[in-house]
Amino acid sequence: EVQLVESGGGLVQPGGSLRLSCAASGFTFSSYWMHWVRQAPGKGLVWVSRINSDGSSTSYADSVKGRFTISRDNAKNTLYLQMNSLRAEDTAVYYCARDHLNAFDYWGQGTLVTVSS
Amino acid sequence: SYELTQPPSVSVSPGQTARITCSGDALPKQYAYWYQQKPGQAPVLVIYKDSERPSGIPERFSGSSSGTTVTLTISGVQAEDEADYYCQSADSSGTHVVFGGGTKLTVL
């Protein structure tokens, strides 16, 4: 059974940093591109970032470029999102999702990040 | 930046057909995908590559594409279909993923 479990969310002050993790199981993690998608409270889905299967290529939404870094450890079957210089507008539930032929076919349950003083 | 446009809300009675549209300039070049999200839950893929249905998704869910608009059709809507629906695609270069703003489907 495919499982994606996010962790690392919490309350952080503006300007602070946080690292999210997404532990994958039930599939060959190293074969799939992965994404982070976020959803602010009461708002829609917003794509954040993606990484290819071996970690050699990444892409970011303009809103997070230069502040967030996506990475992965295929030996640990884990996806990461390092978030720096956090702003109030980064407050959201962050989901990791598996990319299968450009479709997000499996999603984690999400982890809440709250940026507030 | 590239945008996908969806109606904020659609309402139908049980048993009727619901159609949710998604418009974007790059849709003739890029496939569209549809997700269903119920309150407090993660999204679920219901249509991929414009019109393909993943295993386990009821046959009443279908997708179509025409020019710069893609449409999610739910035939014989049931109460359990009440949810938010999001289209997703990519910009013309395929570099950036984009979601539509979402459509709240209300079953009257």
Side-chain angles (χ1 to χ4, degrees), chain A residues 1 4 6 10 12 14 17 20-21 26 29 37 45 47 51 62 68 71 79 88 93 95-96 99 108 117:
Chain A
E1 178 193 7
L4 298 170
E6 301 95 337
V12 60
S17 298
L20 305 183
S21 299
F29 180 69
V37 177
L45 301 173
W47 174 76
I51 188 167
D62 290 343
F68 289 13
S71 63
L79 174 72
V93 172
Y95 296 99
C96 62
D99 183 328
S117 55

Side-chain angles (χ1 to χ4, degrees), chain A residues 23-107:
Chain A
S25 61
F27 66 102
T28 305
F29 180 69
S30 59
S31 296
Y32 290 84
W33 291 28
M34 298 293 295
H35 298 256
W36 287 99
V37 177
R38 68 184 182 185
Q39 186 170 35
K43 303 297 184 181
L45 301 173
V46 176
W47 174 76
V48 173
S49 182
R50 70 96 176 136
I51 188 167
N52 70 347
S53 56
D54 66 5
S56 62
S57 174
T58 59
S59 182
Y60 300 90
D62 290 343
S63 59
V64 306
K65 197 168 187 177
R67 300 188 299 124
F68 289 13
T69 302
I70 190 172
S71 63
R72 65 191 297 161
D73 186 335
N74 285 342
K76 294 183 177 180
N77 291 339
T78 303
L79 174 72
Y80 302 101
L81 185 68
Q82 177 67 45
M83 304 185 295
N84 299 331
S85 303
L86 283 162
R87 308 166 179 166
E89 54 264 36
D90 295 319
T91 294
V93 172
Y94 284 74
Y95 296 99
C96 62
R98 188 179 83 165
D99 183 328
H100 179 60
L101 302 177
N102 295 317
F104 295 4
D105 63 345
Y106 285 94
W107 298 65

Side-chain angles (χ1 to χ4, degrees), chain B residues 15 35 42 44 53 55-57 68 73-74 85 87 97 99 105:
Chain B
Y35 302 87
V44 173
R53 193 174 54 252
S55 61
I57 301 301
T68 58
T73 300
I74 310 172
Y85 291 86
C87 62
V97 173
F99 285 93
L105 175 66

Side-chain angles (χ1 to χ4, degrees), chain B residues 40-65:
Chain B
Q41 298 183 17
V44 173
L45 178 69
V46 295
I47 293 291
Y48 66 98
K49 289 187 178 180
D50 292 347
S51 60
E52 300 295 320
R53 193 174 54 252
S55 61
I57 301 301
E59 290 184 5
R60 63 180 181 273
F61 288 86
S62 63
S64 61
S65 175

